[in-house]
Amino acid sequence: MDEGTVRIDLWIWSVRLLKTRSAATAACKAGHVRLNDERAKPSAAVRIGDEVRLRHEGRERIVVVQRIVRKRVGAPAAAECLIDKSPPPPPREMLIPVGRRDRGAGRPTKRDRRELDRLRLHPKGPGDRPD
């Protein structure tokens, strides 16, 4: 590699798109990273002006490389190294569907628990009981 390039896994980690370098390498190997609309291996060379797409935690990050960095930098410096063209993240309520009980309902009764178990096991017919 010449002076104007750096490995994509190293760059993704350096600009804080992922927490660890091994996570960046794993994302590349799993096909979650695209460089200029092509699947990128961890050793792919990144240059200024390249577009990097990263799928992580249910959302896609689209960034354009502004500066090449080889060492992890702070958040303000990392923001200067890229132009973020990502769509806005979905609302928090849409990310984690959680079953909620009414406030003050307390623990489920034995009858409630049996109904929940029956729903989870999907019995074959009306008279079938899970054993």
Side-chain angles (χ1 to χ4, degrees):
M1 281 192 261
D2 59 60
E3 280 301 309
T5 64
V6 67
R7 287 175 57 111
I8 192 164
D9 59 346
L10 179 62
W11 188 83
I12 288 172
W13 169 74
S14 297
V15 297
R16 299 176 169 264
L17 292 177
L18 290 174
K19 287 185 180 183
T20 64
R21 174 131 184 231
S22 60
T25 303
C28 290
K29 287 180 180 177
H32 300 300
V33 178
R34 297 183 75 77
L35 180 63
N36 298 325
D37 288 330
E38 294 196 14
R39 190 173 170 176
K41 292 182 178 181
S43 62
V46 175
R47 293 173 180 80
I48 293 174
D50 285 350
E51 181 183 79
V52 177
R53 291 175 176 258
L54 169 70
R55 279 183 301 151
H56 179 62
E57 294 181 350
R59 92 179 256 225
E60 185 174 35
R61 300 285 310 267
I62 304 168
V63 297
V64 177
V65 179
Q66 284 293 103
R67 264 188 24 208
I68 299 295
V69 288
R70 289 179 176 77
K71 301 220 183 239
R72 193 161 170 97
V73 294
E80 295 173 1
C81 295
L82 53 90
I83 298 173
D84 196 352
K85 294 186 174 183
S86 306
R92 192 171 180 94
E93 297 84 33
M94 298 295 291
L95 290 178
I96 308 169
V98 177
R100 301 209 181 234
R101 293 180 53 83
D102 294 330
R103 188 172 176 91
R107 292 177 55 182
T109 63
K110 193 169 190 176
R111 182 178 183 186
D112 292 339
R113 185 183 53 76
R114 285 183 178 156
E115 287 176 9
L116 289 170
D117 288 344
R118 198 172 303 123
L119 288 172
R120 286 188 191 124
L121 295 176
H122 302 295
K124 295 176 188 165
D128 293 341
R129 290 180 49 189
D131 292 329

